[in-house]
């Protein structure tokens, strides 16, 4: 297989040259099944792969393990239909969230993505606040977000819902689509060009698998109808998988998310709520919390109808959540550092992991 079809370019070639590994070949993770993976290489478009035991032990933190979209260094095994992962190339972008449950843990959704399609169905599962959270995740990961309002054929007030999303996603492209009516196909074509990597995320039943089948022109993913009564979807996609589209792009499908717990903020909040943060610069107090303070420009904007109150409430909630998350992570890291040496539990460069695999 031509690695360029998988997104290999000068950026990865330069990083690979620095590794100086004659016994390894590059591969891209196209399927993530926990501790086992499917990868694509120059000699095979789909083969099983697993990490060396030493690499797995040294990585420790699950978020450092290979993820869908990662480029890895693998070694072929003579006479076997599998390869061994010896190292991971440094990620260009990384989309992550806090894993479900009470344990503080980063869950990688996809790596090395150029564009993230945030899919929101225009049925009864439509939720503006959820899109705001997705935008924070996207901006913080370093990818370019694009909002897709799917299932337009099932909505009677498309223009109103489009307006609500546009007001909450300043500067972000928004496209109304319908796979059933073939609406919006041409608009999406500019994102799925040769060599680009696009990922899809959204709640269960928003139509991600249908979009992949629609753009590819064939059935690559199984789909199911949403539940009757609440228009909620079933988890059709149960693992992360990478597909090659006929347009030349790589597309990553991810399982639907009922809940999105943000992992960290790398500027995503400021970009998502740019209107509120810009308005806050004119507040009377520099440390204004926009709750009850006198001279608060943000509260005045809400009273005047310039900013939606629900948007401000979501902004406050997000800041509180991220602050709490940072505190939990700091405590967890402190405990980890007390048990391990200074080198354990930290992210290393790919060249270091490859060296460790040889020791």
């Amino acid at each position: 297989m031509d690695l360029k079809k998988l997104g290999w370019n000068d950026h990865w070639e330069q990083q690979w040259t620095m590794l100086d590994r004659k016994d390894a070949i590059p591969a891209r993770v196209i399927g993530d099944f926990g501790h086992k993976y499917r990868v694509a290489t120059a000699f095979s478009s789909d083969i099983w792969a697993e990490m060396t035991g030493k690499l797995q032990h040294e990585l420790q933190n699950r978020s450092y393990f290979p993820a869908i979209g990662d480029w890895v260094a693998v070694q072929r095994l003579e006479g076997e239909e599998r390869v061994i992962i010896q190292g991971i190339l440094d990620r260009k972008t990384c989309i992550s969230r806090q894993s479900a449950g009470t344990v503080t843990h980063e869950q990688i959704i996809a790596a090395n993505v150029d564009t993230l399609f945030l899919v929101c169905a225009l049925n009864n599962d439509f939720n503006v606040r959820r899109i705001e959270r997705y935008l924070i995740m996207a901006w913080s990961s370093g990818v370019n977000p694009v909002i897709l309002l799917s299932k337009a054929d099932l909505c009677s007030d498309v223009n109103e819902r489009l307006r609500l999303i546009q007001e909450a996603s300043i500067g972000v492209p928004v496209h109304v689509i319908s796979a059933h009516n073939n609406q919006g196909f041409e608009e999406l074509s500019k994102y799925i060009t040769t060599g680009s990597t696009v990922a899809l995320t959204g709640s269960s039943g928003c139509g991600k698998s249908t979009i992949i089948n629609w753009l590819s022109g064939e059935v690559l993913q199984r789909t199911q109808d949403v539940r009757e009564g609440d228009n909620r979807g079933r988890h059709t996609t149960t693992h992360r998988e990478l597909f090659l589209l006929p347009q030349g792009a790589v597309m990553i499908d991810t399982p639907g998310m009922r809940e999105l717990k943000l992992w960290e903020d790398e500027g995503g909040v400021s970009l998502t709520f740019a209107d509120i943060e810009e308005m806050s610069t004119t507040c009377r107090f520099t440390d204004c919390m926009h709750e009850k303070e006198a001279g608060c420009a943000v509260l005045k904007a809400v009273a005047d109808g310039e900013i939606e109150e629900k948007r401000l409430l979501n902004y406050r909630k997000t800041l509180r959540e991220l602050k709490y998350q940072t505190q939990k992570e700091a405590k967890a890291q402190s405990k980890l550092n007390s048990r391990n040496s200074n080198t354990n539990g930290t992210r290393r460069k790919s060249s270091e992991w490859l060296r460790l695999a040889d020791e």
Side-chain angles (χ1 to χ4, degrees):
M1 167 173 281
D2 184 357
L3 293 183
K4 291 182 179 180
K5 292 182 178 179
L6 291 169
W8 187 265
N9 53 34
D10 292 341
H11 170 84
W12 302 114
E13 185 67 39
Q14 181 178 8
Q15 192 176 152
W16 183 263
T17 302
M18 295 175 63
L19 298 180
D20 190 26
R21 287 291 301 235
K22 296 180 181 180
D23 59 339
I25 59 174
R28 193 166 197 188
V29 178
I30 62 173
D32 184 352
F33 300 88
H35 291 288
K36 288 192 175 183
Y37 308 88
R38 302 293 290 184
V39 301
T41 68
F43 70 87
S44 176
S45 61
D46 191 348
I47 189 171
W48 282 107
E50 55 187 281
M51 289 185 287
T52 63
K54 185 172 183 62
L55 177 59
Q56 183 172 327
H57 173 73
E58 292 290 345
L59 287 173
Q60 290 192 345
N61 193 320
R62 186 67 179 82
S63 64
Y64 304 158
F65 283 19
I68 190 75
D70 265 328
W71 284 99
V72 295
V74 302
Q75 183 178 31
R76 301 179 65 174
L77 299 176
E78 191 68 31
E80 295 192 37
E81 293 298 320
R82 66 188 180 101
V83 295
I84 298 298
I85 298 175
Q86 296 181 324
I88 310 166
L89 274 66
D90 300 329
R91 291 164 179 162
K92 191 175 181 181
T93 61
C94 182
I95 305 169
S96 65
R97 67 166 180 170
Q98 182 182 339
S99 60
T102 57
V103 179
T104 302
H105 175 68
E106 182 183 15
Q107 181 182 39
I108 306 301
I109 297 174
N112 302 317
V113 173
D114 300 309
T115 302
L116 180 62
F117 283 165
L118 309 177
V119 186
C120 177
L122 287 167
N123 55 13
N124 291 339
D125 200 34
F126 178 80
N127 190 312
V128 177
R129 307 285 80 86
R130 184 191 299 139
I131 286 296
E132 288 175 341
R133 295 177 70 80
Y134 282 138
L135 283 171
I136 295 171
M137 178 184 70
W139 288 126
S140 296
S141 68
V143 303
N144 297 314
V146 174
I147 299 173
L148 306 186
L149 299 181
S150 63
K151 303 186 179 182
D153 54 294
L154 301 180
C155 181
S156 59
D157 58 344
V158 172
N159 290 335
E160 174 60 17
R161 295 193 170 188
L162 173 61
R163 181 188 67 80
L164 292 173
I165 289 293
Q166 288 176 329
E167 289 181 352
S169 57
I170 303 170
V172 177
V174 183
H175 302 290
V176 176
I177 65 172
S178 169
H180 183 268
N181 292 339
N182 200 36
Q183 177 183 353
F185 189 94
E186 292 301 323
E187 294 179 34
L188 301 189
S189 297
K190 61 184 178 182
Y191 303 107
I192 51 176
T193 56
T194 301
S196 62
T197 299
V198 180
L200 293 144
T201 191
S203 60
S204 301
C206 67
K208 299 187 301 298
S209 296
T210 298
I211 291 172
I212 288 182
N213 294 339
W214 175 45
L215 293 177
S216 67
E218 58 180 304
V219 179
L220 297 178
Q221 285 287 67
R222 186 169 58 91
T223 61
Q224 294 188 68
D225 293 331
V226 296
R227 295 199 308 247
E228 294 183 7
D230 63 0
N231 288 130
R232 295 267 181 159
R234 301 180 178 90
H235 288 278
T236 303
T237 302
T238 57
H239 61 275
R240 295 162 183 81
E241 195 167 0
L242 182 151
F243 301 94
L244 294 179
L245 297 181
Q247 295 87 346
V250 167
M251 181 161 280
I252 298 174
D253 192 12
T254 63
M257 291 186 285
R258 282 276 180 236
E259 180 183 18
L260 174 58
K261 291 184 177 180
L262 299 172
W263 175 248
E264 62 184 357
D265 176 35
E266 296 290 342
V269 171
S270 294
L271 289 170
T272 302
F273 296 99
D275 53 341
I276 293 178
E277 298 219 337
E278 182 179 355
M279 187 72 68
S280 67
T281 60
T282 61
C283 290
R284 179 181 299 177
F285 305 106
T286 57
D287 60 347
C288 185
M289 300 300 293
H290 320 306
E291 293 181 350
K292 297 180 180 179
E293 296 89 345
C296 176
V298 174
L299 291 178
K300 184 178 185 303
V302 171
D304 293 342
E306 297 177 26
I307 296 177
E308 186 182 7
E309 184 178 14
K310 290 182 179 179
R311 180 168 171 80
L312 175 59
L313 293 176
N314 199 30
Y315 173 70
R316 291 177 187 159
K317 177 183 176 182
T318 300
L319 291 180
R320 289 195 299 269
E321 178 184 334
L322 288 169
K323 181 180 180 180
Y324 176 65
Q325 165 65 19
T326 300
Q327 293 172 342
K328 285 181 62 179
E329 174 64 11
K331 290 181 180 178
Q333 188 63 47
S334 177
K335 290 181 180 179
L336 182 65
N337 290 340
S338 67
R339 295 197 302 265
N340 301 311
S341 66
N342 292 331
T343 58
N344 287 340
T346 58
R347 192 185 300 272
R348 292 189 172 105
K349 296 294 185 181
S350 54
S351 55
E352 293 182 77
W353 291 125
L354 289 172
R355 175 177 56 77
L356 284 168
D358 280 345
E359 293 177 353

